């Protein structure tokens, strides 16, 4: 695309963008969906519908992009720590357990501390799917008692034989 061409009289191969136009697929009017924020504050809801398939896709993307640093369990013990690099925080740290879901999206988008941005590597909606998987990881290790009891095995009717 940067090579010169004889097709246009000025020799450029790409045309300049026109004023007041937006490329297809680039009109990002939903602030929550594209920034993880509303009025400058992290949101605490998912701006896209999250299904089981989305959480599974989030797990797949997490395993590819996040686990080298954060570990497969999200505890901050990824392989980079064993190689002498700085340990990232555990998702089970109270600060992150209480963080709004928009925080995780924002960090993936813009980076934070030693973590760089993944916006060019992970699509917008996949970042929401990863955030949903992080929430699932957090719940798996810290489920409230009533949720844990709801899924606990039940004794057969009539008692144990």
């Amino acid at each position: 695309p940067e090579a010169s061409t004889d097709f246009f009289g000025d020799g450029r191969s790409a045309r300049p963008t026109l004023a007041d136009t937006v490329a297809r697929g680039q009109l990002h009017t939903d602030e929550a969906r594209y920034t993880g924020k509303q009025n400058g504050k992290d949101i605490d809801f998912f701006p896209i519908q999250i299904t089981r398939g989305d959480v599974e896709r989030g797990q797949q993307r997490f395993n590819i992009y996040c686990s080298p640093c954060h570990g497969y369990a999200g505890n901050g013990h990824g392989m980079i720590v064993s190689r002498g690099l700085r340990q990232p925080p555990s998702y089970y740290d109270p600060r992150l357990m209480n963080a709004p879901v928009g925080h995780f999206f924002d960090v993936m988008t813009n980076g934070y501390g030693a973590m760089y941005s993944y916006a060019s590597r992970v699509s917008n909606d996949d970042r929401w799917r990863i955030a949903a998987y992080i929430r699932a990881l957090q719940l798996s290790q810290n489920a409230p008692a009533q949720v844990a009891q709801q899924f606990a095995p039940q004794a057969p009717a009539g008692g144990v034989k």
Side-chain angles (χ1 to χ4, degrees):
E2 301 296 322
S4 64
T5 180
D6 294 332
F7 188 78
F8 295 109
D10 61 7
R12 292 188 285 180
S13 60
R15 301 284 70 192
T17 57
L18 300 175
D20 301 320
T21 62
V22 178
R24 184 175 298 191
Q26 299 301 310
L27 181 60
H28 299 152
T29 58
D30 186 343
E31 180 186 17
R33 183 175 184 176
Y34 292 101
T35 67
K37 298 179 181 296
Q38 275 187 333
N39 301 319
K41 303 241 187 244
D42 291 334
I43 61 171
D44 203 14
F45 62 90
F46 290 96
I48 64 170
Q49 181 180 357
I50 299 292
T51 65
R52 181 185 181 127
D54 290 318
V55 175
E56 290 170 353
R57 168 91 176 168
Q59 179 182 17
Q60 178 194 43
R61 303 284 96 185
F62 179 93
N63 289 345
I64 293 168
Y65 295 104
C66 309
S67 68
C69 299
H70 291 277
Y72 287 102
N75 57 10
H77 295 291
M79 67 154 193
I80 62 110
V81 177
S82 65
R83 301 223 166 109
L85 296 173
R86 183 173 162 196
Q87 180 177 351
S90 168
Y91 291 127
Y92 311 112
D93 178 286
R95 177 180 64 85
L96 294 179
M97 291 290 296
N98 295 314
V101 72
H103 169 76
F104 300 106
F105 179 86
D106 180 58
V107 169
M108 286 182 269
T109 303
N110 299 306
Y112 185 85
M115 180 176 155
Y116 51 83
S117 168
Y118 278 83
S120 66
R121 298 163 187 83
V122 181
S123 74
N124 192 77
D125 287 355
D126 276 350
R127 281 179 264 146
W128 284 115
R129 293 176 182 114
I130 291 170
Y133 179 68
I134 291 169
R135 280 293 193 237
L137 276 176
Q138 290 174 324
L139 183 60
S140 75
Q141 299 300 309
N142 296 286
Q146 64 270 24
V147 173
Q149 290 170 354
Q150 179 182 354
F151 295 101
Q154 301 297 315
V160 179
K161 294 184 180 184

